[in-house]
Amino acid sequence: MSGRPAGAMITLAVARAARRLFVERGWAATTVRDVAREAGVSVPTVYSVYGNKTGLTRALADAADLSADPSRQLADLEAPGTDPARQLAAMAAFDRRLYERAGDVITLLREAGRVEPELATVYRDGRRRADETRTAVFSSWPAGALRQGLDVPAAVDVYAGMCSIDVYTTLTAERGWSPERVERWWSEALARELLS
């Protein structure tokens, strides 16, 4: 045994099984019974821990955010002497970690949101929080830091368009880029597009 309490082991087994099945089969095609069978637990156990399939998916989404280490991003953004280019690099690094560790969950959440309104809200809320972080960072920059003719909302839009799960997946899965290369390109391209 790894020293973890039995309840934590069961929760982890259910979460891993759900993630695997949701990604392989799709959210709509996977039932709670499928997840329970895959995890080696009873269906009532899954319901008692997560409430329902939507609750299970919300838990996966919450864990996805934590997997990218938001406290590290915050420390990088607030480090003394950090200039706008370094802040953009810190944000690109966070997105790379998020997509590398949990891109499948983000894609799953977007897919599930097409049929489950509560999960559509979870997906939109995640996008909104990311935009709020970018708005706060870009608004804190000294006057003249943004490229001429670009305001904060437009800069947030450019960032969101460039650093999306779709761009990451295209470059890594289809074009063969390493996650490190994507992060490096994002950092350089964001500086060119956003900074004066």
Side-chain angles (χ1 to χ4, degrees):
M1 271 306 213
S2 68
R4 289 186 181 168
M9 299 281 284
I10 290 170
T11 301
L12 183 61
V14 171
R16 285 182 177 162
R19 183 173 180 170
R20 186 170 43 256
L21 291 175
F22 288 159
V23 170
E24 288 173 6
R25 298 180 183 176
W27 188 83
T30 303
T31 66
V32 171
R33 181 174 303 286
D34 296 332
V35 172
R37 186 178 312 115
E38 181 79 10
V41 300
S42 69
V43 172
T45 296
V46 176
Y47 281 113
S48 72
V49 173
Y50 294 103
N52 57 25
K53 188 165 79 166
T54 299
L56 177 52
T57 309
R58 285 185 73 108
L60 291 175
D62 291 343
D65 283 344
L66 294 176
S67 75
D69 197 0
S71 61
R72 179 175 165 190
Q73 180 192 31
L74 184 60
D76 291 344
L77 290 172
E78 295 181 347
T82 301
D83 62 11
R86 286 191 182 130
Q87 287 183 319
L88 286 172
M91 292 163 60
F94 175 83
D95 286 339
R96 172 259 175 122
R97 289 190 305 270
L98 178 63
Y99 300 153
E100 185 176 19
R101 298 172 185 173
D104 57 340
V105 175
I106 295 165
T107 303
L108 158 72
L109 190 60
R110 185 170 60 185
E111 173 205 332
R114 292 186 177 118
V115 294
E116 177 55 54
E118 183 179 337
L119 294 177
T121 300
V122 171
Y123 179 78
R124 279 193 309 273
D125 287 349
R127 299 287 297 202
R128 180 187 46 74
R129 284 191 309 275
D131 285 348
E132 287 171 354
T133 297
R134 294 169 193 143
T135 298
V137 170
F138 299 166
S139 297
S140 74
W141 291 347
L146 281 175
R147 188 169 47 82
Q148 188 173 0
L150 197 63
D151 62 7
V152 169
V156 170
D157 291 345
V158 169
Y159 188 104
M162 288 178 64
C163 300
S164 70
I165 185 62
D166 299 311
V167 170
Y168 179 84
T169 302
T170 297
L171 292 175
T172 56
E174 295 178 22
R175 312 306 284 180
W177 286 30
S178 69
E180 294 82 9
R181 184 177 177 193
V182 175
E183 179 185 336
R184 201 169 40 252
W185 174 71
W186 276 343
S187 297
E188 294 166 0
L190 286 165
R192 281 193 309 271
E193 289 297 318
L194 299 181
L195 302 180
S196 57

